[in-house]
Amino acid sequence: MTVTAGRQSGFGAILTDESFERLRGIMYIKSVEKGSCLFWEGDAADKLFYIFEGRIKSTKMSDAGRSLTLYLHQNGDLIGQMEPFKDSTHSTSAEVTEDAKVGVIQRKDLETLLWQHGDLALEFMKWMGLMHRLTQTKFRDLMLFGKTGALCSLLIRLCNSYGEENEEGIRIDLKLSNTEMADMIGATRESVNRMLADLKKENVITYKDGHYTVNRIEYLKEVCCCENCPKEVCRM
């Protein structure tokens, strides 16, 4: 199967062309339909998945049975866990939100490739560091700046990942319900409804045809004490 490589973001942007071809050589391509799951929380973490096409979200189930959305993955992202423990299991689930094509990488094959090529191993370490920093900044937003700060940070991340600039501001080219946004910041739908209504009153955001447009991104940055992280970190 011929697949066009999406490499504009995530892991794909870190790799050199030579390293990417080496990695592609140990993949097999798999098509996954919207609504399916690549892996469930608790499954053996013996594979990684490189996204060529489509969108996949990482979710975590809380003790109360609620599903929380941690990441929205897109072209060029690598999904999975690479740990030193042989019997490690996935701490999240990966749900397909848009028909996708992924490259499946067996952990044992990857370990052999990293042992053979030190430059690829270095690039892989950079990806792991990027993912750790991304996770840290998300938890920082949730823990230090409350639900309003977390929502403002979420809107900024959506602008960086799916934003299109126009005369009004930055239009987020991804349809999300208030419930889905609530799952991304660990809040209730009612709380998100109220906070979004307040932002609309301040003309910070507008909503039209199922899409949000951020009119005053500096206002959002002030609320969440934005540290102006690079877009590779400040993303979904």
Side-chain angles (χ1 to χ4, degrees), residues 85-101:
F85 312 108
K86 290 185 177 180
D87 299 325
S88 63
T89 58
H90 287 290
S91 59
T92 61
S93 299
E95 302 176 17
V96 181
T97 59
E98 182 182 285
D99 288 351
K101 286 185 174 64

Side-chain angles (χ1 to χ4, degrees), residues 85-232:
F85 312 108
K86 290 185 177 180
D87 299 325
S88 63
T89 58
H90 287 290
S91 59
T92 61
S93 299
E95 302 176 17
V96 181
T97 59
E98 182 182 285
D99 288 351
K101 286 185 174 64
V102 299
V104 183
I105 306 168
Q106 298 287 344
R107 175 173 171 163
K108 62 180 185 299
D109 294 335
L110 177 61
E111 288 177 342
T112 301
L113 197 64
L114 295 178
W115 178 75
Q116 293 174 336
H117 302 284
D119 52 346
L120 176 58
L122 180 59
E123 290 162 359
F124 204 88
M125 288 175 62
K126 290 180 180 179
W127 168 75
M128 294 179 69
L130 176 64
M131 293 306 296
H132 282 306
R133 188 175 177 193
L134 179 57
T135 301
Q136 288 171 352
T137 57
K138 287 194 173 186
F139 280 118
R140 175 202 64 196
D141 296 341
L142 290 171
M143 295 177 67
L144 296 183
F145 306 118
K147 299 304 181 186
T148 302
L151 179 62
C152 290
S153 174
L154 172 63
L155 290 169
I156 294 171
R157 291 175 187 273
L158 288 169
C159 286
N160 289 338
S161 298
Y162 305 102
E164 296 179 349
E165 292 191 28
N166 58 31
E167 63 277 3
E168 297 177 356
I170 304 174
R171 180 179 181 271
I172 299 172
D173 188 29
L174 177 68
K175 288 188 176 182
L176 288 174
S177 68
N178 291 2
T179 299
E180 289 174 316
M181 296 177 74
D183 289 341
M184 293 177 186
I185 63 172
T188 63
R189 179 178 58 82
E190 292 76 14
S191 297
V192 170
N193 290 346
R194 185 174 60 254
M195 290 185 289
L196 289 173
D198 291 340
L199 291 174
K200 290 175 186 176
K201 288 178 183 178
E202 296 290 336
N203 196 34
V204 177
I205 61 172
T206 52
Y207 183 77
K208 183 179 180 181
D209 299 330
H211 294 274
Y212 284 98
T213 296
V214 175
N215 307 315
R216 299 168 56 197
I217 196 168
E218 292 303 323
Y219 180 98
L220 300 178
K221 290 183 177 182
E222 184 176 345
V223 172
C224 68
C225 301
C226 177
E227 297 179 0
N228 293 312
C229 299
K231 288 187 176 182
E232 292 80 8

Side-chain angles (χ1 to χ4, degrees), residues 21-38:
E21 289 306 316
R22 289 170 180 161
L23 193 65
R24 191 166 181 168
I26 64 171
M27 297 179 187
Y28 66 87
I29 306 301
K30 177 180 179 180
S31 296
V32 284
E33 296 181 350
K34 178 181 178 179
S36 60
C37 203
L38 279 180

